[in-house]
Amino acid sequence: MSTATDPSAGRTDSTDRPGGTGPRFGYGTNGFANHRLDDALAVLADLGYAGVALTLDHDHLDPFAPGLARRVTALRRRLDALGLAVMIETGARYLLDPWHKHAPTLLHDDPTRRVEFLRRAVRIGADLGAEAVSFWAGVRPEHVPPRAAWDRLVAGCATVVDAADRAGVQLGFEPEPGMLVEDIAGWRRLRAALDGPPCFGITLDIGHCRCLEPQPVDRCVHEVAEHLVNVQIDDMRRGVHEHLEFGEGEIDFPPVLRALDDAGYHNLVAVELPRHSHAAPAVAARSLEFLHAAAARAGILPDAPAPPARMAQPAVPAQPDATAPLRSAPTDASSTGTVPVRM
């Protein structure tokens, strides 16, 4: 598989960004787990999505299966034929360990397989022309002291940064509720520990902002605008890490989309509903309809259809209650962080 050598390859420079086109919506393939990848891409293209957030997994471009270079080349041709842009996501649950979800992470005693996975993700991102490669810290194993876990994370991220810098790929590190780095403040601390490498940006999940950030969601966007390279979008409630369909949570989306537009963000805004594969085509269709309507209300995408009545926007407070206790949603994973990991 070839490796890009141009340091600007795979990145979206501000001078190259399209202007006045409104948000570019994508959809995460982890929400199409019951579809073949090629079928999922066809459905999303037919619905009118601009791209996909591709979670590398055993059934969706397995990075450890034979013939990777050939499969990546074929996928790039398919994406080009369908007119789909791509983000690379690395949150597969059991790709690396069939017994333990998300294991190993960069925090485990032996992170070798995770490091190799992320290196392969970077090479795949380079060869697909991905807008960014996204990854996260992981949950701290109970037997690992916090300081040791932090040191392991910094060392692992430095290795991934080196690979990305050489390949000309942009990284988006995602703060994830319940993980060692779960908020924007934690991401800033990590970036500083890495000496602020240019390729180390942030993946912002809009639902996570409502879940646990102290400021309103649109302010979160403005806070990280300079380093924002990847956006995941879903609805959520304060203190509960559960990805919800639009209209089922507490987020007011037009101000969020307006904030992204004001920030000059033109990479994909990808729907993140990893537990909705059972009804993927229908969920994807109504998600795009909702987002088009929200963008129209924000004044950044004209002539969008109005949302169905069943998905009307809920009323939310102007300021989230930063003192409200964080509640636990039903989850299939233990967590040593503030909020249970439910992905």
Side-chain angles (χ1 to χ4, degrees):
M1 194 162 55
S2 64
T3 300
T5 56
D6 181 352
S8 65
R11 301 182 187 173
T12 303
D13 186 79
S14 60
T15 59
D16 298 325
R17 288 171 171 169
T21 58
R24 298 167 59 241
F25 295 121
Y27 200 94
T29 60
N30 60 0
F32 271 77
N34 300 323
H35 283 67
R36 299 178 186 89
L37 178 58
D38 192 68
D39 290 341
L41 298 179
V43 169
L44 292 171
D46 286 347
L47 288 173
Y49 279 94
V52 294
L54 171 61
T55 295
L56 303 177
D57 208 343
H58 58 87
D59 199 34
H60 286 174
L61 196 64
D62 185 343
F64 295 102
L68 180 59
R70 171 184 52 79
R71 290 183 288 116
V72 169
T73 298
L75 177 57
R76 175 141 195 180
R77 291 197 193 103
R78 181 61 168 156
L79 290 168
D80 289 346
L82 293 172
L84 294 173
V86 64
M87 287 281 187
I88 300 296
E89 298 283 349
T90 57
R93 292 183 176 98
Y94 291 100
L95 177 66
L96 307 184
D97 184 335
W99 289 95
H100 304 99
K101 178 181 173 182
H102 291 153
T105 71
L106 296 175
L107 314 181
H108 280 76
D109 294 338
D110 183 5
T112 304
R113 194 156 172 82
R114 173 66 56 176
V115 171
E116 176 58 23
F117 173 43
L118 293 176
R119 283 175 171 162
R120 292 187 182 214
V122 165
R123 293 198 297 271
I124 291 168
D127 287 346
L128 289 180
E131 296 180 356
V133 173
S134 184
F135 69 115
W136 34 241
V139 177
R140 178 176 64 85
E142 292 184 5
H143 72 280
V144 179
R147 181 66 206 186
W150 179 259
D151 290 343
R152 290 177 180 183
L153 177 61
V154 173
C157 285
T159 300
V160 180
V161 164
D162 180 65
D165 194 54
R166 286 185 284 106
V169 169
Q170 188 73 53
L171 296 173
F173 188 93
E174 180 186 3
E176 183 77 35
M179 294 192 178
L180 187 64
V181 174
E182 65 175 359
D183 55 19
I184 292 171
W187 171 83
R188 290 193 182 281
R189 181 188 172 208
L190 178 58
R191 187 172 187 275
L194 294 167
D195 295 326
C199 72
F200 192 80
I202 187 169
T203 291
L204 192 68
D205 187 302
I206 298 304
H208 297 170
C209 294
R210 176 58 185 162
C211 178
L212 53 65
E213 295 289 350
Q215 65 269 53
V217 179
D218 57 330
R219 291 297 301 272
C220 292
V221 173
H222 288 297
E223 182 178 335
V224 300
E226 180 183 358
H227 304 289
L228 189 58
V229 299
N230 184 23
V231 172
Q232 301 168 351
I233 194 163
D234 46 80
D235 213 342
M236 207 167 285
R237 301 186 183 100
R238 184 72 182 167
V240 182
H241 183 203
E242 183 177 9
H243 293 245
L244 303 172
E245 283 196 62
F246 302 114
E248 295 181 0
E250 300 170 341
I251 299 175
D252 184 20
F253 284 95
V256 175
L257 297 177
R258 166 51 65 188
L260 288 169
D261 191 68
D262 290 345
Y265 178 82
H266 290 289
N267 282 357
L268 289 175
V269 179
V271 178
E272 176 78 354
L273 292 172
R275 294 179 178 270
H276 291 69
S277 292
H278 63 283
V283 173
R286 58 181 176 254
S287 295
L288 188 59
E289 184 177 20
F290 181 94
L291 289 170
H292 278 170
R297 289 197 298 275
I300 55 176
L301 190 67
D303 302 324
R310 66 177 293 276
M311 299 182 68
Q313 288 278 0
V316 298
Q319 299 284 337
D321 183 2
T323 63
L326 296 177
R327 297 182 289 114
S328 296
T331 179
D332 57 7
S334 61
S335 169
T336 55
T338 308
V339 183
V341 178
R342 183 177 172 87
M343 296 184 300

